[in-house]
Amino acid sequence: MSKVVRFHRMGGPEVLQIDEVEVRAPGAGEVRIKVKALGLNRAEAMYRSGQYTFVPDMPAILGYEAAGTVESIGQGVTEFSVGDEVNVIPAFSFSDYGMYGELVVAPVHAIVAQPAGMTSVQAAGTWMQFVTAYGALIDIGNLQKGETVLIRAASSSVGLAAIQIANLLGAVPVALTRTSEKRQALIDAGAAHVIATQEQDLVAEVNRITEGKGARMAFDPVGGPEVANILRSLSFLGIFFQYGALDTADMSIPVMEVLGKDLTIRGYQLFEITENAERLGRAKAFISQGLEDGALNPLIAKAFKLDQIVEAHQYMESNAQIGKIVVEV
């Protein structure tokens, strides 16, 4: 029997509970992992509260990221052996797998060897953020040295990952945040510039930073009416990535800006990368190398224990954190 976090009804963090269940043996193409730490993601809160892309079957498991040790392997698995230190990348559906537990089963395509020199806590908070940022900025957007990228909700784990990747490429990361409260923390995290969008004129500030050229890219998990000003801040042939919907109101699109600058407005999910073996392979290689070189480094906001899973979700929903929330198992 193993402790596994599940929910039997949709709702707030309080619906999460720890159940004692028998975790099945790994099937063909699967591994079973003894979890040391797991990472929390906004998608899990949305799934738990009934705001995700599909309705969970009860009782429901959840969790996209984990770090631990291979406990057993299924038929046909040759990439890993029992005892290997591994991490789980979000590359599956909650209807099939969930990483919130002491013992979990994961598909082998979603497994990567834990990068050298990383702790389990660091590793559990790594892959969602860096793969998400990599997919937009590099795989699709082809961000280049010297180009400016606007990073909205920059104090989130994905925002911080985007700042680091932009710096690794020699690009100019501009952090967008609502107020000046997190300005210094974002500068310390590597942002070249910080714009407090409720206090400053976004378009004027971007024009000042880029000497009137505009930013080549914007990376946004929020949406809503502020998108109009972000689009006004882009350069000719600029590209806007929408990778979340923290504001579920319809976006405001200034059509003459889109036409006049030939802008691209693009929806994006990391599954576009993780469900393609070739693209995921390139992401694993890039991120693993960056982690081992020290150019990429996940910022952990706070670590909780497994029996504090409700408190961990409450903290995630408070928006007080800068970086990734991790749960030690």
Side-chain angles (χ1 to χ4, degrees):
M1 303 296 287
S2 175
K3 292 180 179 178
V4 173
V5 175
R6 302 193 298 182
F7 58 101
H8 297 250
R9 58 187 175 87
M10 290 181 286
E14 70 281 354
V15 304
L16 297 175
Q17 64 185 64
I18 298 176
D19 295 336
E20 292 274 353
V21 302
E22 184 174 350
V23 177
R24 65 176 177 82
E30 296 178 332
V31 300
R32 194 162 66 177
I33 299 168
K34 185 177 181 181
V35 176
K36 294 182 178 180
L38 55 94
L40 268 57
N41 295 285
R42 291 282 179 181
E44 292 143 17
M46 294 175 68
Y47 185 57
R48 181 209 70 219
S49 60
Q51 298 176 318
Y52 205 54
T53 53
F54 61 90
V55 177
D57 292 327
M58 302 299 178
I61 55 176
L62 74 171
Y64 272 134
E65 293 181 281
T69 305
V70 175
E71 183 263 357
S72 57
I73 59 175
Q75 182 180 0
V77 175
T78 58
E79 302 94 325
F80 300 99
S81 302
V82 172
D84 285 351
E85 296 290 322
V86 296
N87 305 154
V88 181
I89 299 173
F92 47 83
S93 170
F94 288 145
S95 62
D96 300 317
Y97 302 96
M99 298 300 115
Y100 282 17
E102 293 178 324
L103 198 62
V104 301
V105 174
V108 71
H109 72 264
I111 305 301
V112 62
Q114 183 164 302
M118 297 195 77
T119 68
S120 297
V121 167
Q122 291 173 317
T126 289
W127 293 95
M128 170 71 87
Q129 59 174 307
F130 284 111
V131 174
T132 301
Y134 166 92
L137 272 60
I138 296 179
D139 185 279
I140 303 168
N142 193 28
L143 186 66
Q144 297 293 306
K145 181 178 180 179
E147 293 182 334
T148 300
V149 53
L150 306 181
I151 302 168
R152 197 173 180 195
S155 60
S156 69
S157 60
V158 177
L160 295 171
I163 289 172
Q164 292 185 26
I165 287 175
N167 281 325
L168 180 54
L169 298 174
V172 181
V174 177
L176 306 186
T177 184
R178 288 177 294 177
T179 71
S180 297
E181 181 181 0
K182 296 178 180 178
R183 179 183 298 276
Q184 189 57 52
L186 290 167
I187 292 294
D188 293 344
H193 306 274
V194 177
I195 301 174
T197 56
Q198 291 181 359
E199 302 170 7
Q200 297 173 277
D201 185 320
L202 173 61
V203 178
E205 285 298 306
V206 173
N207 282 333
R208 180 185 63 80
I209 291 165
T210 62
E211 298 180 340
K213 299 182 183 71
R216 218 272 285 176
M217 188 181 299
F219 186 51
D220 184 3
V222 183
E226 184 65 24
V227 168
N229 279 333
I230 295 175
L231 294 174
R232 292 186 181 101
S233 303
L234 295 182
S235 66
F236 180 68
L237 295 178
I239 181 168
F240 173 89
F241 286 100
Q242 187 71 42
Y243 72 96
L246 296 177
D247 185 338
T248 56
D250 287 343
M251 295 188 300
S252 178
I253 306 297
V255 65
M256 297 312 293
E257 289 285 331
V258 174
L259 291 174
K261 296 179 180 177
D262 292 341
L263 300 180
T264 297
I265 301 171
R266 194 187 195 286
Y268 163 69
Q269 299 180 73
L270 90 160
F271 297 109
E272 185 174 342
I273 307 300
T274 61
E275 292 180 357
N276 180 294
E278 184 176 340
R279 296 169 81 180
L280 179 56
R282 290 196 297 267
K284 288 179 179 179
F286 177 89
I287 295 164
S288 293
Q289 189 65 55
L291 292 166
E292 292 178 6
D293 291 346
L296 303 179
N297 182 34
L299 176 62
I300 305 302
K302 191 172 182 178
F304 292 82
K305 300 297 184 183
L306 187 63
D307 62 4
Q308 297 175 304
I309 190 65
V310 171
E311 292 92 329
H313 266 242
Q314 289 171 336
Y315 182 61
M316 177 168 59
E317 294 190 344
S318 76
N319 295 320
Q321 72 275 17
I322 298 176
K324 190 77 172 184
I325 302 168
V326 174
V327 173
E328 295 182 85
V329 180

